[in-house]
Each structure stands twice: as C-alpha cells, then as structure tokens.
Amino acid sequence: MSDDSKKVLYSGMQATGSLTLGNYLGALKNWVKMHEEYECFYGVMDLHSLTVRQDPVQFRANSRKLYALYVAAGLDPEINCVYFQSHVSSHAELAWILNCFTYMGELSRMTQFKDKAQKHNDNINAGLFTYPVLMAADILLYQAHLVPVGHDQMQHLEITRDIAERFNNIYGDVFVVPEAYIGKQGARVMSLSDPCSKMSKSDENVNATIYLTDDRDTIIRKFKRAVTDSDTEIRYDIDEKPGISNLIDIYSAVTGKSTDDVCMEFNGKGYGDFKLAVGEAVADELTPLQKRYEELLKDKKYIDECILRNDEKARYVSQKTLRKVRRKVGLLDIK
Ligand code: TRP
C-alpha cells in the first residue's frame, strides 16, 4: 500500500478557528505538490484542539470544514492520506507510551506551553502540558522523515527528535528521527495591522487577518487598510519597511514572482496601486478554492467517504509502528 521508494512526509493543522492566508501560503499551498516527491500524510489534529475548551457542536462542524478546506485547496485525498487524528486510536496509545519517555523538565521549557498557560490561566490542563508528546506520536507513528512546520512548531519538532532518539537508544532503531522540512519559499505571512507579528487566526482586530473564506471585497478592503510606513518606495527591507515587505512576500508567494521582480514591477508606483494589486491577486487565488469549498460543504457524503477511506490507511500504517513499540516495551500481545 505504501510506496517504499519515497520518503514520508507528515503534517497537520488543528481543527480550530478559520484558516488564514498565513496558513494557506505558509503551509497548505505548499503541501499540495509534496506528493510528487514524498509519501504524504496530513491529519486534522482534532485531539490537539481539546487542550482548549471547545463548543462541541461548533467543533464538530469546524473539523469537517477543515477537511473540506484541505481538499478545496487542492490536497487530493486520492493521492495523499488525509485523515482524522482522533479516528486512529494509535495516536492516543503511542502518546501515552511516549509520555513515559518524556521528562517534566523538557516539557516545562516549551514556549508554546508557557504562552498558552498564560493565555488560558483558568484551564492549565495536563493535555496542554503534554501536547508536544501527542505531536511526537503523530509524527513517529508514520515513520516520517520530514515535517513541514512553521517557526512556532520547531521546538516541538526538536522534542520529537529527542524522544525518538531516546527511545531508539534503549530499544534499537524503532523510529525514524524526523527533520524539519524547510520549504523553498515558505512564506511567513505577517499581520496586516502589525507587520512585526505573525498573522493569526485569533487576532482581535479583524482587519489584521485575511481568512480563506473572506469574500473579494473584504480581501481588497483589508489590503487597502494594511499598515505601511510613511515612505513611498516599494522596496524589500524587513527591518525598515516590515509592512511593505510583508505585502511583497504575499504578492510573491501568490504570483510565484521573486521579490526582486515584484519590486521592479511596482517601481515608481504608489502604495495605493500596490495594495490594490496585492488584494486582487490574493482574491484571484482564493476564488477557485472558495468555490470548490462551497461545493464540498454541500457534498457531505463525498467528504465523509474520503475521511473513512483515508482513516483506514492511516490506521494500517500507524498500527505497524505501534505493534513494534508494544513489543519493544514488553506489553503482552496474545496472537
Ligand atoms: N501543533 C501543530 C500546530 O499547531 C499541529 C500539529 C499537531 C502537527 N500534530 C502535528 C504539525 C504533527 C505537524 C506534525 O501547528
């Protein structure tokens, strides 16, 4: 079933909130073509979402919506294994075992834990603390060589590698030790109202974020309002001109042009023209995705069939690893 000649690539997103242009340009858009080179697994990481209190009805709906967005963005569930984390029980099982190979000290150093604990200080639950162990289980179950992750998840990938190496040192080569996949132009999309911080799903200022489901007028309006400097030159300079540089990055990621070419194209033009061009380019890019998304939302049967079929494959692949781990640590299996 799996193609042994290809390296394995694993990634996923949490099933919370609406995806942003940052999620799309930084991750999803790049995932679509990875299957040409790698055997790819992409999860809807719904178990991870439970570390924060969710409204059950909304959460359920959002989870299926995220799957539909994956597919609408071009992630083909016939070619990639696109599945639900919580439908494959090996994740929770391996996470438990790996918990016993992870130290409190190393988990306490995770900056995301510290940030989230501060933000949700009425609910600092153990799941929030062991979140990286579940993530390690996700990756290690599929023997992934490569994990495309954003900057904010690098520390979690590091701990995954540490856990894998620790386990391998005791039991022999059980896990592939994964590496970060650094994309060619993995765009880091910044907030439109504060270009020094990352574009975020949960920004309180709605003008800061482009959601994948924003309509054309909204997208263009938000880009028109994007914060830039008081200079007039369209030049790429992250330190001096973070706002304009962010727009150049976005335009470049959407059109495939280099940042130099973008600067040349708009040489002598004003910020107003440039912002409009970026807004239109983004809207053009997202229109087909949105159309497909609307269609898919109406075709629940198709989506659910894709989920069931892919869950099955994920179960098959992950159980191979889990069986090996069980044997290594000495859990009794009766054949
Ligand atoms: N923690 C990741 C994020 O918030 C989501 C995630 C969970 C993930 N498990 C993963 C990403 C495994 C890559 C691989 O972005």
Side-chain angles (χ1 to χ4, degrees), residues 10-14 45 48 131 135 138-139 147 149 153 156:
Y10 189 95
S11 202
M13 288 183 197
Q14 279 198 56
M45 301 309 189
H48 276 111
Y131 179 112
M135 182 160 158
D138 301 336
I139 297 166
V147 185
V149 281
Q153 296 297 312
H156 291 163

Side-chain angles (χ1 to χ4, degrees), residues 52-115:
V52 175
R53 210 55 81 228
Q54 303 291 342
D55 171 77
V57 175
Q58 261 183 21
F59 179 38
R60 218 178 339 262
N62 281 342
S63 303
R64 193 188 269 109
K65 281 185 181 169
L66 178 60
Y67 193 95
L69 258 186
Y70 278 1
V71 177
L75 209 58
D76 186 346
E78 309 288 335
I79 304 176
N80 302 279
C81 182
V82 192
Y83 74 102
F84 265 68
Q85 181 191 36
S86 75
H87 297 180
V88 179
S89 60
S90 344
H91 290 254
E93 293 177 43
L94 183 63
W96 172 257
I97 296 174
L98 296 182
N99 263 322
C100 304
F101 292 85
T102 309
Y103 297 112
M104 300 287 284
E106 52 189 350
L107 289 175
S108 320
R109 285 195 293 274
M110 296 291 118
T111 54
Q112 184 170 306
F113 169 70
K114 290 191 251 181
D115 289 350

Side-chain angles (χ1 to χ4, degrees), residues 192 206 209-210 214 218-226:
L192 297 186
V206 288
T209 306
I210 303 286
D214 279 348
T218 308
I219 293 172
I220 291 174
R221 179 168 39 81
K222 285 181 178 177
F223 275 106
K224 273 192 190 153
R225 291 195 187 157

